[in-house]
Amino acid sequence: MTTLFRTSSLAAALIAGTMALTPAAFAQDKVITHAQGETTISGVPAKVLVQDWATLDNLAALGVPVAGVPSSNAPGYLADAIPADVLPLGSLFEPDFEGIAASEADVYFVSGRSAAAYETGKDILPTIDLSVNNTAIIDGLKENLTKLGEIFDKQDKAAELIANVDAKVADAKAAAEGKGTALVLVTNAGKLGVYGPDSRVSWVYNEVGMPSALDSVKDGDHGGDAVTFEFLLEVNPDWVFVVDRDAGTTENTGAAQALLDNELFNQTTAAKEGQIVYLDAQAAYITMNGYQAVTLLLDQVIAGLQK
Amino acid sequence: MPALIAGMIITIALAIVSLFVGVSDVSLASLLSGGWEGRPGEVLLISRIPRTVALVLAGASMAISGLVMQMIVRNRFVEPGTTGTSESAALGFLVVTIFAPGWPLMAKMAVAALFALGGTALFLRVLRAVPLRDVLLVPLVGIMLGGIVGAIGAFIAYRTSLMGSMLAWNMGDFSGVLRGRYELMWFGLAGCILAYIAADRFTVAGMGKDFTTNLGLNHRSVMILGLVIVSVVSAVVLVSVGSIPFLGLIVPNVVSMLIGDNMRRTVPWVAVGGAGMVLACDIVGRLIRYPYEIPISVVMGVVGSMLFLYLLLRTPRGAK
C-alpha cells in the first residue's frame, strides 16, 4: 500500500512538474490506431471499461484493473479479475450506453461481438476497437497486448506476455509435430459442426500446425458447418478438439461427451486412440483471443498431445 | 385409390433415395461386396435407416397433427406452429433442462408434452373469447400467443444463457439422428394410428359442438383426444430433431384441395404426403452443400412459405 501510495504521489509530482514546465505537452496524447480508426488517449487511463472478455483477459494479465465489464457470459477462469463493485455494461451485443455515459470513464474497449458499439461509444468517450481477425488470432492477441501495453505504460509486461505466448505456441508446435491430422468440432444442443482454418479456433490449424483432416473445410464462423457422424467417420481425423458450446455458455457439462459417444464416432482413429481433447469451452468460444484464454487452450492442447 | 398407391410409391422411392444419400459410400454394389459387417452395411444400419425412419415418422406425424388441429379448431390455417403448441413444447423443454438437466430424455419429453398440452388448451380458451371467428383471425391469435410464449422462453433462455440451445431446438435438423437417438419418434406413429382410428369422430367434431352433441358424441372428449395427439407429436418431434415449420399447414391443405375433408379418407394421404415432403426437403438439404448439411427447417421454410403464399393468394374455385 505504501509503495503504491509513493508511486502514485511520485507520479503526481512528476505530472505536476511537467505541467508547470510545459503545459502544452502535459496531455501526453497517444494516438491509438485500431480496427475502426484512430482514437486519442490523454495520459494513462485510470477508469477503464471493457465490453469484451478478451480485452478484460488481457488487462488482467497486464495487471490493469477495470471498472466496468459485460454483464453476461463471464468466463469462469476470469472470475478473480472482476471486482465486486464492477459496473455492469450490458450484454456483449447490447451495451448499456446510459450507464457508460454516466460512468465518466477514461477509455472504453470494444471488440468482436461488441464492435458495433464503437459507433455510439466514440461519441461518449474515447473508444477503441480491439477486434481480432479470426484467421490470425495469435498475431491479433500479440498486437493487442502491445497496444494495451502502450496505452497503460506497461510495455515491459506486455513484451513478457508476448514472449510467453510465443513460447507456448512453439511448445504446442513441437508437441503437434507428426501427430497427424486434426478436426475441431463444436457441439451445440445435440448438434454437431466443424470449424475450419478461418474460424475462431483457427490457431489449432494455422499456429499449432495440425493439418486439418479435411482441407476443404470452409469458415464455420458461428456454430460451424453442420455435419453428420458419417462425415466424421469418413474424414477420420487422428485428433479431435471439441468446443462444447453448451458448456461454454451454461453450466451444463458432459453434453459433448454424451453426444460423441456413439457407434459411428467410436470407429474413428481419434476415438479409438482416445485422442479427443475437450477444450475449455469458455476460453475457446467466449473469449477466443485473450492472453489467459489462449495460453490455457494451448496448455490443454499440449497436455492432450503429450498424453 | 390408385392415386394413393402412386403417392405411396413416390414416397417409398424418396425413402430409398434417402438411404443412399450421404457422405459414406453406401451403394448396392458396396453393400453386396461388404455385407452387414463391412462399413457400408454398418453405416446403413446405424445412420441411414434410422434417419430415413425418423424422417418418415416426423413427416407423417407432424402433418397429421396439423390435420387434427385444423379439424378441432375448424380452421384451415392452423398447425402446431401457429397455435403456440411448438413454442410451449420448447418452453417446457427449456424449463426441464434448467431444473432437471439430468433427467432421461423420455421424462424431459413428457414435460415438453405437458407444456404443449397446456399451451394448446390456452389457445382454445382464448379462441372462445374471440367473438369473430374470422378465418385469418384464428391463426393470427395463435401466432400472437405463440409469440408471447416464445418471448417468455427467450427471456428465460437469455437469463440462463441458453439462447444458443433454444435456437438449436427451434431449428429442425436430422443430421444427428442415429440408431438409439430417434426411437422416441415411434410415439408419433402411435399418434397417427390414434388419429386414424378416431378419424370419423374428428370429422364430426369439425362440424361444430352442437352438431357433434346432436349426434351423441362427447365433443369435449374428442377435443381432448385431439389435443393429446397434437401435443405428444409436437413434443416428440421437438425433442428428437427440433421444430419443422409449415409442414402441418401445407400438407393437409393440399390434400383437402385434392380430395376433400373426410378425415377417414384424408389421413393416409396426409401421412404419405407429409413423409414424402420431409424426405424430399431433407434430401435437398443434404445435397446443396454436400458434404455439409442445411437444416431441414431452412429448406422447409423456403418451400413451405412459397406454398403457403400460394394457398393464401389462390383464387377460390368458381370465384372467377
Side-chain angles (χ1 to χ4, degrees), chain A residues 6 23 40 96 119 138 161 163 168 178 185 187 189 207 217 219 237-238 279 281 307:
Chain A
R6 240 185 271 139
T40 308
D96 167 21
E119 276 307 310
I138 305 282
L161 297 178
K168 277 268 191 298
L185 293 178
T187 63
E207 306 285 346
V217 181
D219 177 13
D238 296 320
L279 298 173
K307 184 187 52 165

Side-chain angles (χ1 to χ4, degrees), chain A residues 72-73 90-91 94 188-192 194 214 216-218 225-231 233-236 245-246 249-250 252 258-264 267, chain B residues 21-25 39 42-43 46-48 51 97 101 158 160-165 168-169 171-176 178-179 181 241-242 289 291-293 295:
Chain A
S72 57
N73 295 110
S91 79
E94 285 170 43
N188 179 27
K191 284 155 197 175
L192 199 62
V194 292
L214 187 86
S216 67
V217 181
K218 280 268 167 35
D225 275 311
V227 294
T228 52
F229 293 104
E230 237 177 70
F231 174 93
L233 182 66
E234 289 305 316
V235 170
N236 194 23
R245 197 186 168 284
D246 293 313
T249 52
T250 67
N252 296 341
L259 182 69
L260 290 177
D261 181 19
N262 65 61
E263 294 168 278
L264 290 184
Q267 293 184 31
Chain B
V21 173
V23 180
S24 286
D25 170 40
R39 174 172 286 187
E42 271 198 317
V43 168
I46 299 170
S47 167
R48 300 289 174 80
R51 182 167 188 158
T97 303
Y158 182 77
T160 51
S161 303
L162 280 168
M163 277 307 263
S165 311
W169 297 331
M171 174 132 326
D173 179 5
F174 284 82
S175 63
L178 286 179
R179 182 162 75 190
R181 295 200 174 161
V241 294
R289 282 199 66 213
Y292 309 113
E293 303 210 354

Side-chain angles (χ1 to χ4, degrees), chain B residues 86-133:
Chain B
S86 303
E87 285 85 356
S88 305
L91 179 65
F93 197 39
L94 177 71
V95 167
V96 75
T97 303
I98 293 169
F99 289 110
W103 279 14
L105 202 56
M106 190 79 161
K108 287 186 179 172
M109 190 208 85
V111 175
L114 280 178
F115 269 73
L117 203 60
T120 322
L122 180 65
F123 168 68
L124 291 176
R125 182 70 197 78
V126 172
L127 268 197
R128 262 198 282 162
V130 178
L132 261 178
R133 276 267 188 135

Side-chain angles (χ1 to χ4, degrees), chain B residues 314-320:
Chain B
R314 103 198 139 95
T315 336
R317 264 170 293 182
K320 276 180 194 163

